[in-house]
Amino acid sequence: MSQTLTIEPLGQAVSLRPDQTVLDACLRAGVWLPHACGHGVCGTCKVQVLDGEVEHGDASNFALMDFERDEGKILACCATAVGDLTIEAEIDEDPDAAFLPLEDHTAELVEARMLTPTIRGLWLRTERPLAFQAGQYLMLKVPGVEGERAFSIASRPGEELVELHIRRVPEGRATGWLHEQLQVGQPLRFTAPSGRFFVRKSAGLPMIFVGGGSGLSSPQSMVLDLLAEGCTLPITLVQGARNRDELYHRERFERLAAEHPNFHYLPVLSDLPADSDWAGARGYAHEAMKTHFKGDFRGHKAYLCGPPPMIEACLKTLMQGRLFERDIYTEKFFTAADAALAAPRSPLFRSV
């Protein structure tokens, strides 16, 4: 028997199964709640219960303290309702957000190849079109692995195949299976779309995208989507990698830069011998970005996706160049392994 979940201040009522988390019920109804880890660790999805009772599930005592539980607060990603439930949540209204319901998908792997020595590209054909915003990610079910894994979607919305870039994590069971055992023709299951990493197109400002390693996925989707729509605003993509072997899709972006005068592609390599014949930028992504823009980032929107050290360095550089929180967006992923640790945050910003 289903229950009813009412979300204030929207006043919207959605159906809720007894074993379904509050967050899942909201997302499947197209109601977006702030969230990040999905494991009861980070506390991003904390909401207030106005009426009804819940089971707190696996919410950690760090993310949801005892006095907060006594005050009626819950973590939506873990809590399940005991009967009908009414909650109050901070609903972020963004004119560029498409509130798409979370859906289950089945797909077939139709192509796979190594993009770098550590990153495998996967191309999936879904049984029905996948609705998402460029920059969002999917939650993939990996056989034999408990829990889902988040992977950014590298293809743009509307393309026939869904493209993923999977970096092999040392001793990682999920990425190990995706690299070593997954073969063309096999089915995969996932839920999508997830995340709030998308282009704020209504701002009408020049854009900077930074992608490091497999963090290129989201910026690639965003750039492809903008160019396909005929965007004429200045777009700069900074792609950071250690060496040429780890730099992928370079030819594709160079071709796009030749075809679109408003698009500038800046690859930068951080680990090269001094006598290398590489003619491009050397060093780290934030250094190349600073040089290219002469240290002044005012009047831009910036989108960052990659390893935490890269994001932290870019945040500092952007702030020093007078670009601040309201104009910077980052993608953050948490894993089940974070359950034993406090989730890291930038000391510079509250929401990036």
Side-chain angles (χ1 to χ4, degrees), residues 161-173:
L161 301 180
V162 175
E163 179 180 345
L164 305 177
H165 303 163
I166 311 296
R167 182 180 69 86
R168 176 65 191 268
V169 177
E171 300 183 9
R173 291 181 59 200

Side-chain angles (χ1 to χ4, degrees), residues 200-269:
R200 271 60 180 185
K201 298 176 182 179
S202 65
L205 295 174
M207 290 157 281
I208 303 168
F209 297 92
V210 183
S214 61
L216 177 67
S217 304
S218 292
Q220 173 177 302
S221 178
M222 294 161 137
V223 168
L224 293 178
D225 186 49
L226 288 166
L227 296 179
E229 289 182 347
C231 176
T232 57
L233 292 167
I235 301 169
T236 300
L237 171 62
V238 182
Q239 182 184 7
R242 294 181 63 251
N243 51 52
R244 293 190 209 195
D245 287 343
E246 294 291 341
L247 184 71
Y248 66 99
H249 286 353
R250 175 187 175 191
E251 294 79 7
R252 181 180 197 177
F253 292 120
E254 288 177 339
R255 184 176 66 253
L256 288 171
E259 296 171 352
H260 300 272
N262 62 315
F263 174 55
H264 184 80
Y265 172 56
L266 180 59
V268 53
L269 304 182

Side-chain angles (χ1 to χ4, degrees), residues 45-64:
C45 65
K46 193 177 298 179
V47 298
Q48 178 71 45
V49 172
L50 299 180
D51 186 50
E53 297 182 4
V54 301
E55 295 287 345
H56 286 286
D58 294 330
S60 78
N61 290 329
F62 175 83
L64 186 68

Side-chain angles (χ1 to χ4, degrees), residues 259-318:
E259 296 171 352
H260 300 272
N262 62 315
F263 174 55
H264 184 80
Y265 172 56
L266 180 59
V268 53
L269 304 182
S270 62
D271 187 15
L272 286 177
D275 59 355
S276 168
D277 62 355
W278 170 254
R282 295 170 180 255
Y284 295 99
H286 68 284
E287 297 169 334
M289 182 176 64
K290 182 176 181 179
T291 299
H292 180 75
F293 287 95
K294 298 180 174 59
D296 188 350
F297 305 102
R298 288 174 292 183
H300 288 80
K301 290 280 188 181
Y303 302 86
L304 315 175
C305 189
M310 185 208 79
I311 289 180
E312 288 294 326
C314 287
L315 287 173
K316 293 177 183 177
T317 300
L318 291 167

Side-chain angles (χ1 to χ4, degrees), residues 66-130:
D66 289 341
F67 77 89
E68 292 178 306
R69 298 172 193 238
D70 293 340
E71 292 174 351
K73 292 182 172 59
I74 64 171
L75 298 186
C77 72
C78 297
T80 55
V82 180
D84 293 343
L85 185 69
T86 300
I87 63 168
E88 184 176 45
E90 293 184 13
I91 306 296
D92 180 19
E93 296 184 4
D94 191 308
D96 295 295
F99 295 101
L100 302 169
L102 187 70
E103 295 181 328
D104 298 317
H105 289 268
T106 300
E108 177 188 358
L109 180 67
V110 297
E111 183 182 354
R113 65 175 184 269
M114 295 303 294
L115 302 174
T116 78
T118 60
I119 299 173
R120 191 185 194 202
L122 306 179
W123 284 263
L124 313 176
R125 178 175 286 113
T126 55
E127 60 184 6
R128 67 181 188 280
L130 171 62

